[in-house]
Every structure is written in C-alpha cells, then in structure tokens.
Amino acid sequence: MRQRNVILLSLLVTLAVLLASSACKQLGQPPQQKASSDDSNRSGSQLQIAFITNGPVSDFGYNYTHNEGRLALEQSLGDSVKTIVVESIPETADAERVMERLINTGVNVIVATSFGYQDATLSVASRHPEVRFLQAWGFKYAPNVGSYSAKMYEVWYLMGIVAGHMTKTNKLGIVAAHPVPPMKWQINAYVLGARSVNPNITATVTFINDWYDPVLSSQAAEALINQGHDVVCGVLDNSVGVARAAEKRGTWFIGHNADLSKFAPTRQLVGTRWVWGNLYEDEVRMMLENKWKGEMDMAGGLRSGYVGITDFSPSVPEEVRQEVLVAQRRIINGEINVYAGPIRDNTGHETVPAGKTLTHEETMAMDWLVEGVR
C-alpha cells in the first residue's frame, strides 16, 4: 500500500509540472524573461528607477540637488514610479557592477548623474536593451541611452550681474574643481555677466582638482580673499567650504547648486539652483507614455524650469534685483544669448565672432576662458 501511495504521489507531481509548463507556453514568455523596452510600461505599470551619484547626497551641492530632483519626481508622479539612490559610487568599473546589481533587483531605468559614468553606462546598456539609461552630460548614445543636461550658464550670467554691482575692488575670486569644459562654461558666463555691467571686472580662478573637498576649497577661498577678491564663489560639486570662508572673512559670496545661506547667513548674496525634478518628470512622463527614445539629449534652461536662482539676500539693492529679473526674462524670451559674439578669450583671440551664437553643444565643449579671467 505504501509503495502504491508513493507512485500515485509521483504521478501527481509530474502532472502538476506539465500543467505549469503548458501555462507558460500559452503565455508566450518564460516566467523570468524580461520585457523589451518597447513593451515596458505599455499598461502604465510602475517604473523602478535607480539614481547613481559620485558623492554623498548630503553634500548640499551637485549630488544633493539630484537627490532633491529624485524626491520631487516621486512626489509628482506618485505610484507610477519607485526610486532609490545609490551614493558615492566611483567613476570606475565599480559603476558597472553597481548597475548590474540594480538591474538584477528589477530596476528598469538607471540615471547616471555624473559625466564620468558614461562609458560604464554604454557598456551595461549594450548588455541590457530592456533597461533605459539617462546619462548626465553625455555625448555617446544608444537606442536605450539618452543624455540630459541643463543650461546653468544662463543662471551664472545672472550671478555675474550681481557680483559686478557688489564688488568694490573689481576682483572676483573663483574656486573651481578641474580645468575642464563644464567648469569653463560656467566661469565664462559668470564673468561675461559681471563685465556686462562693470567692464573693469577681472576674475582669478583657482582649480583645486577635486570635486568635493570642503577643506581645500576653503583654503583656496581664503587665499583669494587675501589677494583682494571681495566676491567669491565655488564652481564645485560642493561649495560649502567657500561659503564658510566668506562668512568668516566678511566677504560677499555667490552660492552654487543649492541654497547655501545656512553656511554664509550674512554673506551670501544669491545663488544658482538646479531644478532636476522638472527635467526628470519630463523624461519619465515620456517613458510612461511610451514616447521616450534613446539617442537624444534633453537640455533646457530658465525657460524649461530646469535651473533657477535662490532668494536674494537683503544686502542686494532693489535696483540690482530688478536688473537681474529683467535679464532673466530677456534670456527666457531669447533676447539675451549668453554666448553671442563677439567674445574674446583671455589671450585676446576672438573665439566667437560677431553674428555667431554658440549652440548648447558647442558650449558644452568649451575649453577656453574669456577675457578678464586669469
């Protein structure tokens, strides 16, 4: 009797396996097969989105603003998305390993927030056509890889107007990360804005060759202040060190990335602000509506609401505030183009002739400094 029961049980198990296999064939897809990027979200299902940053999101700088954008995306799109952030991932082979692990957990959209991830993004994307990738500041594309950026140079031009009016020595001090195009097009816009209201302006740039070093940036700011630069700023992932040095020394400070007034409560005049949440919402809505395609760059500035300015300090005179707001409206309306010629570099060469305006792509590749910068 016991042997008969064992045989009967074995037959029942075999029948169950056959029925399950038949059901899978009827569905036309193995249980673990991933949907293609064309089919994903066709019914409006939830997107699993992972953001990767090269530094801590507590930096009150570049990485902080991307995390703010992520949270804004969740708030605006609700249950349509589920997001996570993975912080402080080096721009090395580690990035590939992290992306692979994320995909294995079900993530179907990866946002690489730093330019240094571009090669890792392309490599992983080639192995996972069902996953979509957004690469910050990228210029290499694939059917499932798009790039995104924002025209922060428009806001830096406005910051220059404030600095040009507030300086007494006509000397602006700039602490920057690396001598690379993303630093130079921000520095140049700032100086062009300042010289538009004060042609006597000069600017000194100190490159610290680090994206995130509050101590080194603070020391560089102190040195610039000692040389008579009475308005300082940081073109860095993190400008907290520059803010603290300005507050300590009683020097005017222009913030960057986010509102840093808590670090320079009496010295911050105004600051730049990334509004990544608006850009992310535009990108993800296209994905949810099956309108998103790779091989494109999403770029916008003040008109798109992807960048902005922080609140003015009471120390900024009303007439200066109004001048900045008028210039902002003119940029939005296309009446002011930051990189419209003629523009000379700091060797005297005319890099942008009269009648020419640099495109966004040309601006992103800028590798020279404007007249007045040393």
Side-chain angles (χ1 to χ4, degrees), residues 17-302:
V17 170
L18 290 172
L19 288 172
S21 175
S22 176
C24 286
K25 289 179 181 178
Q26 290 173 5
L27 289 173
Q29 178 176 318
Q32 294 183 343
Q33 181 175 327
K34 296 173 181 175
S36 71
S37 59
D38 289 337
D39 292 335
S40 60
N41 302 107
R42 185 157 289 171
S43 61
S45 59
Q46 187 183 66
L47 284 175
Q48 309 285 323
I49 308 174
F51 292 75
I52 303 176
T53 68
N54 66 354
V57 298
S58 59
D59 65 0
F60 278 95
Y62 182 79
N63 297 298
Y64 170 85
T65 63
H66 279 287
N67 193 49
E68 290 289 291
R70 176 185 72 87
L71 296 174
L73 175 66
E74 282 195 339
Q75 185 173 12
S76 62
L77 296 185
D79 292 339
S80 297
V81 299
K82 180 180 180 181
T83 75
I84 61 170
V85 61
V86 186
E87 308 174 48
S88 301
I89 303 304
E91 297 164 327
T92 62
D94 288 343
E96 282 199 47
R97 289 190 284 271
V98 169
M99 291 180 191
E100 290 284 359
R101 287 199 296 269
L102 288 167
I103 292 168
N104 287 337
T105 66
V107 165
N108 51 22
V109 179
I110 291 178
V111 182
T113 65
S114 177
F115 170 77
Y117 294 136
Q118 181 168 238
D119 289 341
T121 295
L122 268 293
S123 178
V124 176
S126 69
R127 297 192 293 271
H128 296 279
E130 77 285 355
V131 177
R132 284 165 285 194
F133 296 80
L134 298 178
Q135 173 62 56
W137 315 105
F139 62 89
K140 299 177 182 178
Y141 303 98
N144 59 334
V145 177
S147 67
Y148 71 96
S149 57
K151 299 176 181 179
M152 182 55 83
Y153 48 89
E154 294 180 343
V155 184
W156 271 112
Y157 185 88
L158 301 178
M159 298 300 100
I161 293 174
V162 177
H165 281 297
M166 298 300 293
T167 179
K168 301 300 182 185
T169 65
N170 294 331
K171 297 173 66 176
L172 309 183
I174 304 168
V175 181
H178 300 275
V180 295
M183 301 294 96
K184 292 179 180 180
W185 54 252
Q186 294 181 82
I187 293 166
N188 288 343
Y190 179 53
V191 175
L192 287 172
R195 288 170 69 91
S196 74
V197 299
N198 184 346
N200 297 318
I201 289 287
T202 62
T204 302
V205 183
T206 299
F207 291 104
I208 64 171
N209 296 307
D210 199 298
W211 295 108
Y212 180 83
D213 190 327
V215 174
L216 193 57
S217 62
S218 179
Q219 292 172 344
E222 291 257 13
L224 288 167
I225 294 168
N226 289 340
Q227 295 165 16
H229 300 85
D230 63 348
V231 181
V232 295
C233 68
V235 188
L236 306 153
D237 275 6
N238 176 291
S239 297
V240 171
V242 181
R244 285 175 166 154
E247 183 69 19
K248 173 185 173 183
R249 297 292 301 275
T251 301
W252 294 127
F253 170 68
I254 300 288
H256 182 40
N257 293 313
D259 185 3
L260 300 180
S261 58
K262 66 183 291 183
F263 303 104
T266 70
R267 306 314 297 174
Q268 176 170 294
L269 296 168
V270 66
T272 71
R273 187 166 65 92
W274 301 101
V275 194
W276 295 117
N278 289 341
L279 185 149
Y280 290 149
E281 182 178 348
D282 288 346
E283 292 266 24
V284 173
R285 281 194 186 280
M286 286 193 291
M287 292 181 184
L288 291 168
E289 296 169 2
N290 288 313
K291 297 178 180 177
W292 185 88
K293 295 180 180 180
E295 301 182 327
M296 70 174 188
D297 178 52
M298 176 74 84
L302 289 166

Side-chain angles (χ1 to χ4, degrees), residues 184 187-188 191-192 195 203 339-353 358 366-374:
K184 292 179 180 180
I187 293 166
N188 288 343
V191 175
L192 287 172
R195 288 170 69 91
Y339 287 115
I343 300 174
R344 294 184 179 276
D345 66 16
N346 60 358
T347 69
H349 174 70
E350 187 176 74
T351 53
V352 185
L358 295 184
M366 184 179 292
D367 200 21
W368 45 270
L369 292 168
V370 296
E371 188 175 30
V373 180
R374 57 175 184 266

